[in-house]
Amino acid sequence: MTRVLVVDDSAVVRQIFARELARDPEMEVVGTAPDPYVARDLIVQKKPDVVTLDVEMPRMDGITFLRRIMHYHPLPVIVVSSLTAAGGTLALEALAAGAVDVMCKPGASFKVGDMTAILVEKVKAAAHVDLGHRRHAEAQPAPPPTPHRALSRTTNQVLAIGASTGGTVALEHILRWFPPNAPGTIVTQHMPEMFTRYFAERLNQVSRVEVKEASDGDSVVPGVVLIAPGDRHLLLRRDGARYYASVRDGPRVNRHRPSVDVMFRSVAQSAGRNAVGVILTGMGGDGAQGLLEMKQAGAQTFAQDEASCVVFGMPKVAIDLGGVDRVLPLDRIAPEVLGAVERAVA
């Protein structure tokens, strides 16, 4: 039984979350709190396994409260924020402060039913997160100023990366290693609409490649990393010898939009052996089948290992399906992938 505490200043949101989470027979809502002060007492009294936390609250903001939780009483926290520009910025601050995952409250593009079904999955996954693994990943030393020599050849190889829970930290670690002429890269990270733009801006600040939220028709070229926009699928298409991003609406796949499977399948079809696929930490199995299709099309495929994952879900399913050539710890993925790209065009 997973014990969860709901923290939100909105009585309506608390009621909806508590009701929907309690519908699951494996879930127990041990309490709800309108602000961090009440939540603090309930954490001590009820000892929840997981906390859902809003970030914009009275008396104490959610980021400050999250930092205190991680310092005094570490436990998995899922941030559930409003779909606003301010919410997007704060959500990224929350991930940096130790939140396991972020998601948006119900809105025009994210209905209550979809949202609560995903919230239930995230809470169950968060209950099994080893915060020690997360701290270890975050404590990885930053790469040196010249983390990897520039690739000696320009190439039309395409790199596709899929991630979910814990992926924001993993992606930042990987991209810090990329040289300025790293292969054209597309990324699907499960993240709500609007949050992805701020995530891309954050990665752009700490990387030597250009990182941006993908727009339909963007060229996939060396030195550029395109992040799938929240609530849109990112696909790869080919026109002659050039690759382009295709940003599309469409049904959720594996309950996700953007979906890693959608992206990987398009890469298998458009790039085949000219591609490299990487699947990182995340709950569920999104991306596993698509990575297998990439491998079957001749692409090289990699997965993050269990020891360095926050949640060893997506990589495990991909490995079990036989879609992975190599399983690597987080700190070896970038150099091995870049080496594989260079060998492919030797």
Side-chain angles (χ1 to χ4, degrees):
M1 183 72 71
T2 300
R3 297 164 54 82
V4 59
L5 173 66
V6 176
V7 185
D8 198 290
D9 64 330
S10 167
V12 173
V13 170
R14 294 197 305 273
Q15 181 181 28
I16 291 173
F17 285 8
R19 182 188 68 226
E20 296 300 319
L21 289 170
R23 291 182 191 276
D24 191 290
E26 299 177 0
M27 201 85 64
E28 178 186 0
V29 178
V30 298
T32 65
D35 63 57
Y37 289 94
V38 176
R40 174 197 59 193
D41 295 339
L42 288 174
I43 288 172
V44 173
Q45 296 169 11
K46 302 294 186 178
K47 297 180 173 55
D49 300 311
V50 180
V51 171
T52 71
L53 178 66
D54 189 14
V55 291
E56 297 171 286
M57 290 185 295
R59 300 218 288 171
M60 181 190 298
D61 68 90
I63 305 299
T64 300
F65 182 52
L66 175 61
R67 292 192 178 107
R68 293 188 181 183
I69 290 175
M70 291 303 151
H71 182 74
Y72 295 107
H73 196 109
L75 78 166
V77 175
I78 297 172
V79 165
V80 188
S81 181
S82 299
L83 192 62
T84 65
T89 303
L90 291 172
L92 293 183
E93 287 186 35
L95 287 168
V100 169
D101 213 337
V102 299
M103 62 185 303
C104 61
K105 292 178 180 178
S109 63
F110 209 52
K111 305 303 182 185
V112 171
D114 291 334
M115 185 269 173
T116 53
I118 294 173
L119 180 61
V120 167
E121 289 186 0
K122 287 183 181 292
V123 168
K124 287 182 177 180
H128 299 287
V129 166
D130 183 344
L131 292 180
H133 281 185
R134 183 184 181 90
R135 287 191 293 271
H136 172 73
E138 292 174 342
Q140 292 286 333
T146 306
H148 192 279
R149 64 185 176 88
L151 298 178
S152 61
R153 301 173 182 85
T154 57
T155 171
N156 64 347
Q157 290 272 306
V158 173
L159 174 59
I161 304 175
S164 186
T165 308
T168 55
V169 172
L171 282 165
E172 180 173 334
H173 185 86
I174 289 170
L175 294 189
R176 281 178 180 269
W177 282 90
F178 276 21
N181 67 334
T185 301
I186 58 176
V187 176
T188 289
Q189 160 74 48
H190 294 159
M191 187 174 280
E193 182 182 4
M194 201 170 292
F195 296 0
T196 46
R197 177 160 64 90
Y198 293 97
F199 179 51
E201 290 173 358
R202 160 66 182 168
L203 293 178
N204 189 58
Q205 292 169 0
V206 301
S207 307
R208 295 192 297 159
V209 290
E210 178 187 354
V211 185
K212 65 184 291 287
E213 186 180 63
S215 297
D216 190 52
D218 280 347
S219 294
V220 179
V221 293
V224 175
V225 176
L226 302 176
I227 308 292
D231 201 40
R232 292 293 183 272
H233 294 302
L234 174 60
L235 296 83
L236 182 74
R237 66 178 179 87
R238 183 172 183 168
D239 185 357
R242 297 287 301 273
Y243 294 105
Y244 299 91
S246 180
V247 176
R248 294 287 180 265
D249 201 350
R252 297 180 185 276
V253 176
N254 302 317
R255 290 186 175 173
H256 294 288
R257 187 176 59 232
S259 163
V260 182
D261 261 331
V262 169
M263 179 184 70
F264 280 167
R265 283 173 174 149
S266 72
V267 174
Q269 295 164 7
S270 296
R273 64 179 64 256
N274 292 321
V276 175
V278 180
I279 193 163
L280 302 175
T281 174
M283 70 174 186
D286 187 34
Q289 183 62 41
L291 194 67
L292 175 61
E293 292 177 21
M294 283 186 63
K295 181 179 178 181
Q296 291 170 338
Q300 300 180 77
T301 58
F302 297 81
Q304 186 177 352
D305 73 354
E306 182 174 8
S308 63
C309 279
V310 172
V311 178
F312 189 55
M314 288 161 50
K316 182 179 187 302
V317 177
I319 293 165
D320 291 346
L321 277 178
V324 177
D325 291 319
R326 298 189 64 189
V327 181
L328 298 168
L330 178 61
D331 60 1
R332 291 300 306 158
I333 289 176
E336 293 293 336
V337 166
L338 293 174
V341 168
E342 187 140 26
R343 289 190 298 273
V345 296

